[in-house]
Amino acid sequence: MPDYGQFQSAGGTLDTRWFLLVASILFVLGAIGVLVRRNPIVILVCIELMLNAVNLTLIAFSRQLNNLEGQLFALMTMVVAASEAVVGLAVLVDIFHFRDVEDVDELNELRG
Amino acid sequence: MNGLQLAATAAVDYPPSQAFGDLSQIAPIATLAVAMIVAILADAVLPFPRRGPVVMAISAAGLVVAFAFAFGSWLQGGGHSAYFGFVTGDNFALYFEMLFSVLGLMTLVVSHAYVRRRGLYEAELHILTLAALVGMMALAAATSLVTVFVALETLSLALYVATGYSRRDTTSQEAAAKYLLIGGFASAFVLYGMALVYGASGSTLLPEINKAITANQASNPILILGVVMLAVGFSFKISGAPFHQWTPDVYQGAPLPVTAFMSVGTKAAAFAMIIRVFGSGLANVSTEWQVLLAFVAVLSMVVGNLAAIVQSSVKRLLAYSGIAQGGYMLVGVIAGGRDGVAAVLFYLAAYVFMNFGAFAVLTVLVDRRGEHDQLDDLTGLGYRNQPLGILMTVFMLSLAGFPPLVGFIGKFFLFRAAVAGGWTWLVVIAVLASVISVAYYLRVVYHVWTPSAEQAHLRRMPGPLVAVLASGILALILGVFPTLILVAGLTGAAPVLVAAGH
């Protein structure tokens, strides 16, 4: 098990756990946002927040473990997050073309 | 110090011979990616009427060459890992690459006929299919959390767009939006799980993770949280209950060829990912993920089979049936070992043909006004077109698990492996659940063979008929001679087990 101790930065030492804590709070906030917010665009923003929370986790671990794979992973995640935003906005704009969807519960044509 | 760190600290020494060797390991994936790019260019420069057929020809050529590369490498005993261990060309990957090539070819012919009849654009659908196939193949070949995630998103993003392909239908758009929002949410969970596993093990490479994580680490909270997050995210992707609610809506709203393609393709790719990540990367904490997956498996089999009974749309019925079938396959994943993994590989191949065939039958009923996927629309199909009726019956009976069809043999292998692995209680539930499933599969058969006032002969659609016929013949042949694929499954299972045997 790696040691989750402190790492040196220019201004002194910082505990990795603080970064992990902030990241987990951001992730939970994003997840709650997806579950309670109704506007599809806001949900998309919340998903991006979750992905960025993971990026913070990855970079904190990368620095802690002195291993570059985490930073590589974070770079890849940014690319993926950007593509997801593009596709997401394209799909939603396509829907807004026909009608205004301010609440995801209005997307209720498909039922069984 | 692994390859990546070396490359980062020292001057990069990457001779052309190694570049060529690495490329040869991912030849099928690279071929499809190149075919996709060529198809996009062709779509941009050709005059409109020729775009569709040319793009289809390019896609078909790419798929055939990809299959040939994969088969050639398979005959030579499989490849090895490449690109600093981030991907591999082992038999496990090759098995899926061949399966996805065949699936891609069947999808092409069905899509071609479908877009003609609905009056949609053709070229883009083939391009999206290719993009999704690149993702699926890469997912089966990925041996690092980084590549697993990127491949997973490649296939997901292509499928979000493909789901909304029929842009005039508000249902198609709605399905795309739902798939996108829920898929993105699930991806975030997968990603967070991966980040935590990376933090706990110090590497993103699955073999390194396997070495770093020893059994006494099971109490590391970061690792356990990571495994739970991965299990949740993976369950979303294989539409396992209780994370399955998006599946019926998305399957119903998506255009039929896309539904047919993703119902089997995503499932096969996601199972490849689960076997790789859990089976080989996290083999030493198997007790933890086995419990989680067993919970998902039981719930999927019960919920999927019960909900399927009351459906009136065949697309939704098959969606719930797919949830239940995912549960059966999870039983094999949980059992693990050589027999368990081989049984899952065998069942996935069988499932691809059974389920794709059933959806392809529905494609024949499509006309300009739209899809006709209600159970009532199937009434009298057996009299309007006898071969189609017989084949639909074969697919339904096979999915239900009647001997001597392939679905029966597949379930038999799965359940036998699970009993041998000591999961008898799980198998008892699975068998009871599959007894329930007979009710709704036979309901479809009953509708197909009920005489109806509609006596008009169906318009001929060669594309879907070829796909249906091929699927039906494979379902029959594999049922009688299962060793053909089972041997392949056992060979494909071997590389994953070497990694897990630590």
Side-chain angles (χ1 to χ4, degrees):
Chain A
M1 178 170 168
D3 170 36
Y4 301 106
Q6 303 181 324
F7 56 61
Q8 303 283 327
S9 71
T13 56
L14 267 173
D15 199 316
T16 316
R17 278 170 290 190
W18 290 112
F19 290 91
L20 298 180
L21 186 67
V22 171
S24 65
I25 290 170
L26 283 179
F27 187 86
V28 172
L29 278 181
I32 292 173
V34 172
L35 295 175
V36 302
R37 295 300 294 264
R38 309 266 43 122
N39 185 315
I41 304 270
V42 177
I43 294 180
L44 214 54
V45 171
C46 289
I47 291 174
E48 296 297 313
L49 181 62
M50 292 167 81
L51 293 180
N52 281 321
V54 179
N55 273 348
L56 189 55
T57 312
L58 282 169
I59 291 168
F61 277 135
S62 177
R63 186 69 196 269
Q64 169 62 36
L65 299 162
N66 205 10
N67 170 315
L68 282 179
E69 284 174 38
Q71 295 192 32
L72 172 89
F73 205 157
L75 280 173
M76 292 293 179
T77 310
M78 285 178 208
V79 176
V80 166
S83 326
E84 202 168 81
V86 168
V87 169
L89 289 175
V91 167
L92 292 178
V93 165
D94 208 34
I95 294 184
F96 292 148
H97 218 70
F98 289 86
R99 53 184 171 149
D100 256 346
V101 182
E102 271 154 17
D103 185 335
V104 275
D105 289 336
E106 288 169 29
L107 299 170
N108 57 5
E109 273 182 54
L110 296 164
R111 259 155 210 268
Chain B
M1 197 176 254
N2 59 44
L4 192 73
Q5 279 170 301
L6 277 174
T9 50
V12 181
D13 185 25
Y14 193 64
S17 61
Q18 197 193 342
F20 181 76
D22 283 352
L23 188 62
S24 71
Q25 297 305 314
I26 59 157
I29 306 170
T31 309
L32 270 198
V34 170
M36 182 186 75
I37 293 165
V38 173
I40 292 173
L41 293 176
D43 182 37
V45 300
L46 286 175
F48 180 70
R50 265 195 275 158
R51 284 179 196 166
V54 169
V55 167
M56 182 170 164
I58 295 169
S59 312
L63 286 165
V64 169
V65 174
F67 182 89
F69 272 131
F71 191 57
S73 185
W74 175 274
L75 288 181
Q76 287 168 15
H80 49 82
S81 76
Y83 295 109
F84 304 109
F86 275 63
V87 289
T88 177
D90 62 15
N91 279 328
F92 184 80
L94 293 173
Y95 181 89
F96 280 98
E97 280 159 8
M98 290 189 280
L99 187 63
F100 290 138
S101 303
V102 175
L103 172 64
L105 285 170
M106 295 200 301
T107 309
L108 279 189
V109 287
V110 174
S111 304
H112 176 73
Y114 180 87
V115 291
R116 283 291 158 96
R117 199 160 270 199
R118 291 290 310 274
L120 299 167
Y121 293 112
E122 179 172 4
E124 287 90 339
L125 188 54
H126 295 323
I127 293 170
L128 287 169
T129 307
L130 281 190
L133 281 167
V134 170
M136 288 170 186
M137 288 185 181
L139 196 50
T143 48
S144 152
L145 295 179
V146 182
T147 32
V148 167
F149 182 69
V150 173
L152 179 66
E153 286 299 290
T154 308
L155 95 89
S156 301
L157 289 178
L159 285 177
Y160 300 152
V161 183
T163 304
Y165 193 74
S166 182
R167 290 176 59 194
R168 286 169 310 186
D169 297 343
T170 47
T171 50
S172 179
Q173 288 183 334
E174 180 182 325
K178 282 184 176 168
Y179 195 16
L180 172 97
L181 294 176
I182 297 176
F185 189 55
S187 296
F189 275 90
V190 171
L191 188 63
Y192 200 31
M194 286 176 173
L196 294 174
V197 169
Y198 164 67
S201 66
S203 178
T204 63
L205 301 173
L206 295 176
E208 299 285 324
I209 293 174
N210 188 34
K211 263 183 242 162
I213 292 176
T214 44
N216 61 14
Q217 268 219 319
S219 55
N220 182 352
I222 292 185
L223 179 65
I224 296 308
L225 189 60
V227 171
V228 172
M229 289 285 203
L230 282 176
V232 170
F234 289 169
S235 302
F236 266 110
K237 294 289 173 191
I238 56 161
S239 54
F243 311 104
H244 66 285
Q245 282 93 345
W246 59 275
T247 317
D249 286 358
V250 172
Y251 281 20
Q252 192 189 6
L256 254 172
V258 177
T259 312
F261 173 62
M262 77 176 165
S263 69
V264 292
T266 320
K267 194 148 281 179
F271 268 99
M273 166 175 75
I274 292 181
I275 293 171
R276 274 262 197 238
V277 174
F278 278 171
S280 76
L282 296 165
N284 290 322
V285 283
S286 57
T287 0
E288 279 74 21
W289 56 258
Q290 275 169 345
V291 173
L292 295 168
L293 291 189
F295 173 73
V296 174
V298 169
L299 220 54
S300 302
M301 292 186 289
V302 174
V303 172
N305 281 325
L306 289 180
I309 295 175
V310 295
Q311 300 304 317
S312 60
S313 150
V314 183
K315 268 172 131 185
R316 288 185 85 89
L317 186 147
L318 285 174
Y320 280 110
S321 127
I323 294 168
Q325 302 276 347
Y328 305 143
M329 287 184 250
L330 273 183
V331 173
V333 174
I334 294 163
R338 185 183 159 92
D339 288 344
V341 175
V344 175
L345 295 191
F346 180 87
Y347 200 82
L348 277 172
Y351 182 69
V352 164
F353 298 121
M354 300 185 287
N355 221 42
F356 192 92
F359 277 115
V361 169
L362 292 182
T363 319
V364 181
L365 298 171
V366 170
D367 61 24
R368 190 106 199 154
R369 283 171 296 147
E371 298 173 2
H372 300 282
D373 67 330
Q374 296 299 307
L375 266 176
D376 293 336
D377 296 325
L378 281 181
T379 308
L381 180 73
Y383 299 99
R384 293 167 74 190
N385 187 329
Q386 212 156 24
L388 217 52
I390 292 170
L391 285 166
M392 189 64 170
T393 311
V394 167
F395 297 135
M396 288 300 130
L397 295 182
S398 184
L399 281 167
F402 277 87
L405 299 164
V406 68
F408 167 75
I409 306 284
K411 278 208 188 89
F412 173 73
F413 288 144
L414 280 177
F415 296 165
R416 193 184 58 175
V419 169
W423 292 90
T424 316
W425 64 271
L426 203 53
V427 173
V428 171
I429 296 174
V431 170
L432 289 178
S434 55
V435 170
I436 301 174
S437 77
V438 174
Y440 60 87
Y441 289 126
L442 283 184
R443 198 158 140 242
V444 177
V445 174
Y446 172 79
H447 273 270
V448 168
W449 295 106
T450 306
S452 75
E454 176 90 63
Q455 287 297 333
H457 275 277
L458 292 161
R459 269 176 61 196
R460 293 169 63 121
M461 279 178 111
L465 281 180
V466 170
V468 170
L469 204 61
S471 308
I473 290 170
L474 280 167
L476 280 170
I477 291 180
L478 293 181
V480 183
F481 305 107
T483 37
L484 284 173
I485 294 284
L486 186 66
V487 171
L490 285 167
T491 320
V496 194
L497 298 175
V498 173
H502 162 68

